[in-house]
C-alpha cells in the first residue's frame, strides 16, 4: 500500500490475509488480445437454464449477433464475440467441470474492430451521468437482459433478475463491488483506473432500476490508483467511493454488505432481503454499455497472472476464446507451472484442459508454479481451531469436514453446512492441510439428502 | 489449433490452491519444542543431568512406543509430525526429576500407547497423552512419586535437598512460613523440571500464543479463574498461600501454557476454549486446597478433557445471518 493510500478501517469480521501477489500484473494496462482462429461460445455461461442455439452451421455472424437465446426467466442470451462463420455445434467443458453445448465460430481474417480500437469501443467514449431519467427502470432491465448481462465477478447470476427486486423488499442501497480480494487478480483494478465513467454510469442506471437511495462503490485500500480514478470521476455525483481494509473474502457479497453496511444477510437468503443489490464493477460498466449504446456483453477483461506464466497481463478477451490462446499471448507457461486455475487461487477451479473457453464469469487465469501451490502433507485434524477463527460465516469447518468424512448428515446440518460460502479461508490456514472445501461440498450434498 | 507450447500434465485439485506459509502440523509441534527451550534450559541448570536423563528417557521411550504401535496397526510411521516428541518432552518435564528411569519409560508407554494409539493416533485421542502417562504412574507408584520423590538428602546439589514448595508444603514447610515470590518466579526452587521457573514458562507460552500454535484463550481462562479462586480461598482462610504463590508454584503455568493447550484435547471454538481453561483453573485450585493431593493440574486437565466434546457442542456459534431456515 502506498503512503498516500487512504487509511481504511472498515472491513468484515474474521477472514484471512493471503499473500496478495498482485504486483505481477498490477501495472499491465488492459490490452485487447488478437482474435483467436476460433471461438467456442458456450450456451451456458450463467447460473440458470442453458440457452438454445439460434444460428445454423455455415451462417455468417457479426460481433454482437445473438447465437443463443434465453428460453427461461433465469437465463441470459449469448452473443457472437467475433465476425466469422458458425461451425457444427459442439460440447465444451466449463472451468467448473460441466459439459455444455457450444457454438463454434471460425474467426474471419478481417475483424471490424481490433486492438486499441476495440478497447476504445468497449470502454471508451463518454457516458452521461445526467439525464439518466430518460431510461425507465423497465427499459434498463430489458437492455440488461438483451445484452446477456450476468455478474462478472464469478457467480454469473443474470443481472436483469437482480435489477428487478420484488415489491415486498424495497432496495435502499446499491453496492458496486470493486474489492477484487482474490490474490493475483488485477482486472477490476485496471478497469476502475481505465474506465471509471462507464462503471459509475452503470451504477447510477442500476440505482434507477432498483430504486435504491444510495450508491456506494467499495474498493480495498490496496488499489490507491483505482480509488483516485473513481473519486475524480465521481465528483459532483451522489456516488460514494468507500475504502475498505484489504482482507479476503471481502468481495463476497455477504462480506461486502457486512463491511459497508453492517447488515447480515440471513442464511439462505439474498442481499435483496436486506435491501441491497450488489453489482461487480465490470457488470456495472457492461450495464452502462448495454443501456446507453445497446451493445451486448461479448468481451470481458481477464487477468492472466501467476508465477507459472511468462508475461502476466490484463487482457480484453472475446468470450469463447480458449485459455490456451490467452496463455500463448502471455508468452506461454514456465517450466515450473503446476496448476492452471480459472479465477483466483482461493476459489478458482483447476482446468484439466487448456481448451476450456473463457466465459462471462472468468475473472482471471492464474497459473501457479510449483513453488506457489500448497505442499505440506495432510495429517489428521489436530483440532487447533484455526479454521473456526477465520471462517467469515462463523461456522466450525473442522466439524463440517468431519461430518463429510463420516457421512454424518445430521452433524453437517447441526453445524449449518448450508451457510458455507466455500471461500476457502478454513483450508487456507489449516495446519493439517485438510481439503475442507472439497469435504464441505460433499457435506452439502449429504445434508440435502 | 496451433501446436501447443504447453506442458502435457496439469494438476487438477480442489480450491484453495494456496496455503498459509509455514502452516503445518509439524510446524506447530516444532513451535512447542521451541517454546519449551527456556524451560528446558532452566531445568538443566537447576537439575543438571537429572533433567537431561529424565527428558531423554521419556522422549526415546515415547518414540519407541509410537514405532511399535504404528507397526502393530500397520499404519505408516508418523514420527515426522513431531507430536510424539512433544508428548515425550512434556512428560519428562512433568515427572519428578528423581523418579527412577523405569517410571519414565512406563509413563511414556502409557502416554503413547494408552493415551494416543488406542484412540487411533494423533488427532483422535480424547485425553492429553502426557497426562494419561503421568496419571498412570502417579497412581501406581504413589510412594516414589510423592513429595519424597523430590528430595534426595545426600545429593550434592543443594536445591535437590530442599522440599518442593507445593508438594511438601503441607507436611514439611509449615515452619518455614511463606517464602518470597521472587525465587519461584525466576526459578531455583525444587519441583518437577518443568515447573521451576515461571518466567521461562511465560516466555515460551507467550511465544506459542503469538505464533498461534496455542489458543490464547486457554491459558487466559485458566490463569484468570485460577487467580480468582486462589484469592477467594486465601481470603476465606482455606489456604495458607497467597494467590500469587499458587500461580507461580507447581505446574500451574506449565499446565496453562503447555498441557492444557494441547490442541487435540481442547475445544475448537473460542468460547469453549475460555470455558475449558477456566474449568481447569478452578478444578486445580479445588484439588490443591480440598483434596489430599498437593497438586491438581493433572487431574484438572484430564477431567476437562472429558468435557471437551460437550463444550464443543454447547458453543456452536450462530452463523452470520443466523441458522438455516427450516424448509
Ligand atoms: S484448522 Fe485444520 S487441523 Fe485445525 S481444527 Fe481446523 S480442520 Fe482441524
Ligand atoms: S467453512 Fe465455508 S465459509 Fe467458512 S471458511 Fe470454510 S469455506 Fe469459508
Amino acid at each position: 500500500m502506498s503512503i498516500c493510500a487512504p487509511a481504511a478501517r472498515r472491513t468484515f469480521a474474521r477472514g484471512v490475509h493471503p499473500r496478495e501477489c498482485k504486483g505481477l500484473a498490477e501495472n499491465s494496462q488492459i490490452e485487447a488480445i488478437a482474435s483467436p482462429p476460433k471461438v467456442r461460445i458456450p450456451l451456458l455461461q450463467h447460473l440458470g437454464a442453458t440457452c438454445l442455439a439460434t444460428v445454423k452451421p455455415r451462417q455468417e455472424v457479426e460481433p454482437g449477433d445473438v447465437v443463443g437465446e434465453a428460453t427461461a426467466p433465469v437465463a441470459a442470451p449469448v452473443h457472437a464475440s467475433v465476425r466469422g462463420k458458425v461451425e457444427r455445434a459442439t460440447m465444451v467443458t466449463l472451468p467448473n467441470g460441466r459439459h455444455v453445448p457450444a457454438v463454434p465460430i471460425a474467426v474471419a481474417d478481417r475483424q471490424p474492430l481490433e486492438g486499441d480500437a476495440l478497447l476504445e469501443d468497449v470502454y471508451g467514449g463518454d457516458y452521461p451521468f445526467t439525464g439518466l431519467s430518460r431510461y425507465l427502470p423497465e427499459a434498463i432491465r430489458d437492455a440488461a437482459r438483451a445484452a446477456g448481462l450476468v455478474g462478472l465477478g464469478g457467480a454469473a447470476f443474470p443481472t436483469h433478475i437482480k435489477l428487478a427486486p420484488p415489491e415486498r423488499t424495497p432496495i435502499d442501497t446499491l453496492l458496486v463491488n470493486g474489492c477484487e480480494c482474490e490474490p493475483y487478480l488485477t482486472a477490476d483494478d485496471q478497469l476502475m483506473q481505465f474506465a471509471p465513467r462507464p462503471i459509475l454510469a452503470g451504477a447510477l442506471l442500476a440505482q434507477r432500476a432498483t430504486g435504491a437511495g444510495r450508491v456506494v462503490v467499495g474498493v480495498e485500500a490496496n488499489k490507491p490508483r483505482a480509488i483516485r480514478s473513481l473519486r475524480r470521476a465521481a465528483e459532483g455525483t451522489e456516488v460514494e467511493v468507500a475504502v475498505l481494509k484489504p482482507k479476503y473474502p471481502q468481495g463476497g457479497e455477504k462480506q461486502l454488505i457486512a463491511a459497508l453496511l453492517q447488515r447480515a444477510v440471513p442464511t439462505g437468503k439474498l442481499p435483496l432481503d436486506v435491501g441491497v443489490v450488489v453489482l461487480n464493477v465490470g457488470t456495472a460498466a457492461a450495464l452502462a454499455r448495454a443501456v446507453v449504446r445497446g451493445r451486448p456483453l461479448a468481451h470481458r477483461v481477464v487477468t492472466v497472472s501467476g508465477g507459472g506464466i511468462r508475461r502476466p497481463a490484463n487482457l480484453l478477451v472475446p468470450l469463447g476464446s480458449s485459455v490456451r490462446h490467452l496463455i500463448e499471448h502471455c508468452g506461454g507457461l514456465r517450466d515450473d507451472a503446476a496448476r492452471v486455475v480459472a479465477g483466483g487461487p482461493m476459489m478458482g477451479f483447476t482446468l484439466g484442459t487448456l481448451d476450456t473457453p473463457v466465459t462471462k464469469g472468468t475473472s482471471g487465469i492464474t497459473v501457479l508454479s510449483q513453488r506457489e501451490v500448497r505442499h505440506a502433507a495432510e495429517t489428521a485434524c489436530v483440532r487447533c481451531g484455526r479454521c473456526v477463527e477465520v471462517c467469515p460465516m462463523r461456522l466450525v469447518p473442522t466439524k463440517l469436514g468431519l461430518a463429510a468424512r463420516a457421512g454424518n448428515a445430521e452433524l453437517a446440518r447441526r453445524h449449518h453446512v448450508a451457510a458455507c460460502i466455500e471461500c476457502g479461508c478454513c483450508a487456507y490456514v489449516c495446519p493439517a492441510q485438510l481439503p475442507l472445501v472439497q469435504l464441505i461440498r460433499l457435506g452439502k450434498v449429504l445434508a440435502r439428502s | 489449433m496451433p501446436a501447443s507450447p504447453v506442458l502435457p500434465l496439469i494438476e487438477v485439485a480442489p480450491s484453495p490452491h494456496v496455503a498459509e506459509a509455514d502452516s503445518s502440523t509439524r510446524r506447530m509441534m516444532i513451535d512447542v519444542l521451541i517454546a519449551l527451550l527456556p524451560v528446558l534450559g532452566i531445568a538443566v541448570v537447576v537439575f543438571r543431568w537429572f533433567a537431561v536423563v529424565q527428558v531423554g528417557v521419556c522422549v526415546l521411550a515415547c518414540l519407541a512406543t509410537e514405532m511399535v504401535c504404528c507397526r502393530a496397526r500397520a499404519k505408516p510411521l508418523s514420527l515426522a509430525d513431531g507430536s510424539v516428541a512433544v508428548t515425550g518432552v512434556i512428560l519428562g518435564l512433568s515427572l519428578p526429576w528423581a523418579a527412577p528411569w523405569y517410571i519414565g519409560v512406563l509413563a511414556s508407554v502409557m502416554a503413547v500407547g494408552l493415551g494416543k494409539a488406542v484412540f487411533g493416533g494423533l488427532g483422535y485421542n480424547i485425553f492429553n497423552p502426557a497426562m494419561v502417562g503421568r496419571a498412570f504412574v502417579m497412581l501406581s507408584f504413589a510412594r516414589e512419586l510423592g513429595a519424597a520423590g523430590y528430595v534426595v538428602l545426600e545429593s550434592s546439589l543443594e536445591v535437590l535437598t530442599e522440599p518442593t514448595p507445593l508438594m511438601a508444603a503441607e507436611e514439611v514447610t509449615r515452619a518455614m512460613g511463606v517464602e518470597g515470590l521472587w525465587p519461584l518466579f525466576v526459578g531455583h526452587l525444587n519441583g518437577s523440571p518443568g515447573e521451576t521457573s515461571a518466567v521461562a514458562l511465560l516466555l515460551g507460552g507467550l511465544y506459542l500464543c503469538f505464533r498461534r500454535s496455542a489458543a490464547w484463550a486457554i491459558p487466559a481462562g485458566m490463569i484468570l479463574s485460577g487467580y480468582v479462586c486462589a484469592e477467594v480461598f486465601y481470603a476465606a482462610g482455606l489456604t495458607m498461600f497467597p494467590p500469587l504463590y499458587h500461580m507461580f508454584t507447581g505446574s500451574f503455568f506449565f499446565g496453562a501454557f503447555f498441557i492444557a493447550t494441547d490442541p487435540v484435547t481442547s475445544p475448537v471454538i473460542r468460547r469453549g476454549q475460555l470455558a475449558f481453561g477456566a474449568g481447569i483453573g478452578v478444578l486445580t485450585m479445588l484439588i490443591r486446597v480440598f483434596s489430599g493431593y498437593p497438586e491438581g493440574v493433572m487431574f484438572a486437565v484430564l477431567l476437562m478433557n472429558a468435557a471437551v466434546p460437550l463444550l464443543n457442542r454447547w458453543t456452536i456459534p450462530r452463523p452470520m445471518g443466523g441458522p438455516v431456515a427450516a424448509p
Side-chain angles (χ1 to χ4, degrees):
Chain A
M1 209 201 311
S2 78
I3 310 169
C4 53
R9 279 165 205 288
R10 274 198 274 184
T11 187
F12 62 100
R14 292 167 295 273
V16 294
H17 295 96
R19 272 186 51 208
E20 288 178 1
C21 304
K22 302 230 185 222
L24 288 174
E26 201 169 39
N27 296 317
S28 316
Q29 289 177 3
I30 301 171
E31 49 178 312
I33 194 172
S35 303
K38 178 167 166 177
V39 296
R40 291 179 304 159
I41 314 268
L43 289 170
L44 178 66
Q45 302 188 34
H46 51 259
L47 216 69
T50 309
C51 293
L52 219 58
T54 53
V55 286
K56 297 255 154 1
R58 311 188 56 78
Q59 187 176 333
E60 306 269 346
V61 290
E62 286 292 316
D65 287 355
V66 175
V67 299
E69 203 172 46
T71 51
V74 184
V78 292
H79 302 79
S81 54
V82 289
R83 168 187 290 168
K85 194 185 246 176
V86 174
E87 296 186 344
R88 254 204 16 229
T90 177
M91 295 293 282
V92 292
T93 310
L94 296 183
N96 61 14
R98 255 184 101 162
H99 296 281
V100 299
V103 175
I105 304 172
V107 179
D109 292 339
R110 296 196 65 83
Q111 293 294 319
L113 285 169
E114 271 193 307
D116 287 346
L118 177 67
L119 188 60
E120 183 61 24
D121 179 63
V122 177
Y123 291 116
D126 190 46
Y127 282 90
F129 291 168
T130 50
L132 296 180
S133 50
R134 80 187 114 114
Y135 303 108
L136 296 174
E138 192 52 43
I140 296 172
R141 284 192 282 273
D142 286 346
R145 186 188 302 125
L149 272 198
V150 305
L152 299 187
F157 189 74
T159 305
H160 66 269
I161 310 261
K162 273 195 184 178
L163 295 181
E167 260 169 42
R168 60 184 161 78
T169 52
I171 300 299
D172 57 48
T173 311
L174 183 97
L175 293 186
V176 183
N177 189 346
C179 290
E180 201 169 49
C181 57
E182 274 270 9
Y184 295 95
L185 303 189
T186 52
D188 286 352
D189 185 6
Q190 278 296 326
L191 188 67
M192 289 184 276
Q193 291 177 46
F194 178 71
R197 279 196 77 88
I199 294 173
L200 295 173
L204 291 167
L205 287 165
Q207 179 193 23
R208 260 192 75 65
T210 55
R214 234 181 123 193
V215 189
V216 187
V217 189
V219 192
E220 289 193 337
N222 58 3
K223 304 174 187 65
R225 281 175 297 182
I227 294 164
R228 268 201 303 278
S229 148
L230 282 173
R231 286 229 161 114
R232 203 173 307 135
E235 258 168 50
T237 72
E238 54 181 310
V239 180
E240 301 163 45
V241 179
V243 181
L244 295 156
K245 197 168 138 205
K247 190 155 59 156
Y248 177 85
Q250 194 131 246
E253 285 189 338
K254 296 184 176 181
Q255 277 62 44
L256 186 66
I257 292 170
L260 285 175
L261 305 172
Q262 288 78 46
R263 295 182 201 170
V265 179
T267 305
K269 294 289 173 71
L270 296 168
L272 63 86
D273 290 292
V274 289
V276 183
V277 168
V278 185
L279 290 186
N280 168 270
V281 284
T283 316
L287 178 67
R289 188 160 181 260
V291 175
V292 177
R293 310 240 174 104
R295 304 292 296 276
L297 178 65
H299 295 78
R300 69 157 297 151
V301 184
V302 179
T303 300
V304 184
S305 186
I309 193 91
R310 290 192 195 278
R311 199 176 59 80
N314 296 300
L315 305 172
L316 182 70
V317 180
L319 295 179
S321 306
S322 72
V323 169
R324 186 187 310 277
H325 180 66
L326 273 58
I327 287 175
E328 278 166 9
H329 179 90
C330 293
L333 301 181
R334 288 183 191 275
D335 292 340
D336 62 346
R339 287 184 200 176
V340 180
V341 179
M346 293 298 287
M347 285 185 84
F349 294 92
T350 41
L351 298 180
T353 158
L354 298 184
D355 297 326
T356 307
V358 170
T359 66
K360 295 173 183 175
T362 311
S363 49
I365 301 294
T366 311
V367 185
L368 296 169
S369 66
Q370 289 293 354
R371 209 168 35 75
E372 292 166 306
V373 291
R374 51 194 304 136
H375 274 304
E378 182 179 334
T379 71
C381 167
V382 290
R383 304 190 217 156
C384 62
R386 285 190 197 177
C387 52
V388 185
E389 256 165 64
V390 298
C391 175
M393 299 308 292
R394 289 226 308 200
L395 306 176
V396 187
T398 167
K399 295 286 177 195
L400 297 176
L402 187 76
R405 282 245 156 106
N408 186 339
E410 163 54 23
L411 184 64
R413 272 192 293 262
R414 194 194 307 148
H415 281 280
H416 314 287
V417 70
C420 170
I421 57 169
E422 300 180 18
C423 64
C425 291
C426 48
Y428 177 78
V429 297
C430 176
Q433 307 290 329
L434 296 177
L436 288 165
V437 176
Q438 192 185 25
L439 289 171
I440 290 169
R441 286 192 190 121
L442 256 169
K444 284 185 176 174
V445 177
L446 200 71
R448 275 198 295 264
S449 62
Chain B
M1 286 277 151
S4 133
V6 147
L7 299 179
L9 215 213
I10 287 173
E11 255 185 300
V12 177
S15 63
H17 308 287
V18 288
E20 193 171 48
D22 219 12
S23 163
S24 66
T25 303
R26 184 185 155 86
R27 176 69 222 202
M28 278 181 92
M29 297 302 163
I30 290 174
D31 273 343
V32 180
L33 294 179
I34 292 174
L36 281 167
L37 282 179
V39 185
L40 274 169
I42 299 263
V44 170
V45 168
V46 176
F47 300 100
R48 313 280 162 87
W49 60 88
F50 287 102
V52 179
V53 169
Q54 178 88 286
V55 172
V57 161
C58 287
V59 170
L60 287 180
C62 281
L63 292 176
T65 313
E66 174 78 358
M67 268 162 86
V68 172
C69 291
C70 283
R71 183 114 354 125
R73 294 180 301 136
K75 264 204 163 184
L77 206 54
S78 64
L79 298 183
D81 65 34
S83 64
V84 181
V86 167
T87 303
V89 175
I90 288 180
L91 188 58
L93 288 174
S94 70
L95 285 175
W97 58 269
W101 65 270
Y102 56 85
I103 288 191
V105 171
L106 197 64
S108 304
V109 170
M110 284 302 151
V112 175
L114 192 68
K116 207 174 223 170
V118 294
F119 290 100
L122 174 71
Y124 300 102
N125 47 307
I126 294 170
F127 296 104
N128 186 310
M131 290 302 102
V132 169
R134 189 170 187 267
F136 182 84
V137 293
M138 286 291 283
L139 299 176
S140 320
F141 300 90
R143 192 176 55 80
E144 284 89 336
L145 300 185
Y150 286 98
V151 185
V152 176
L153 288 174
E154 58 280 28
S155 171
S156 52
L157 283 170
E158 202 199 328
V159 64
L160 305 189
T161 60
E162 291 170 15
T164 75
L166 202 61
M167 294 195 90
E170 309 289 333
E171 310 146 26
V172 193
T173 53
R174 278 192 194 277
M176 286 171 59
V178 172
E179 293 152 274
L181 290 169
W182 183 243
L184 294 172
F185 194 61
V186 292
H188 32 79
L189 277 171
N190 205 346
S192 296
E195 304 168 356
T196 45
S197 168
V199 163
L201 289 166
L202 206 60
L203 211 69
L206 291 180
Y207 169 78
L208 270 191
C209 294
F210 175 74
R211 286 272 316 161
R212 292 190 303 139
S213 286
W216 60 264
I218 297 172
M222 178 164 164
I223 291 169
L224 259 170
S225 76
Y227 184 84
V228 169
C229 267
E231 189 77 60
V232 169
F233 292 155
Y234 185 63
L238 293 168
T239 169
M240 58 188 284
F241 305 112
L244 277 181
Y245 194 80
H246 270 295
M247 294 285 103
F248 294 151
T249 51
S251 43
F252 197 86
F253 271 24
F254 190 56
F257 287 112
F258 291 98
I259 300 175
T261 52
D262 169 32
V264 176
T265 56
S266 57
V268 291
I269 300 151
R270 174 81 42 82
R271 277 189 302 150
Q273 292 166 345
L274 271 173
F276 176 77
I280 295 176
V282 171
L283 284 174
T284 302
M285 288 305 153
L286 285 175
I287 296 172
R288 278 187 182 181
V289 172
F290 294 108
S291 82
Y293 288 96
E295 179 51 288
V297 171
M298 176 182 77
F299 287 120
V301 168
L302 289 173
L303 280 170
M304 289 308 291
N305 282 162
V308 166
L310 275 182
L311 286 175
N312 276 341
R313 205 175 158 143
W314 286 339
T315 54
I316 298 177
R318 203 182 114 87
M320 185 180 121
V324 182

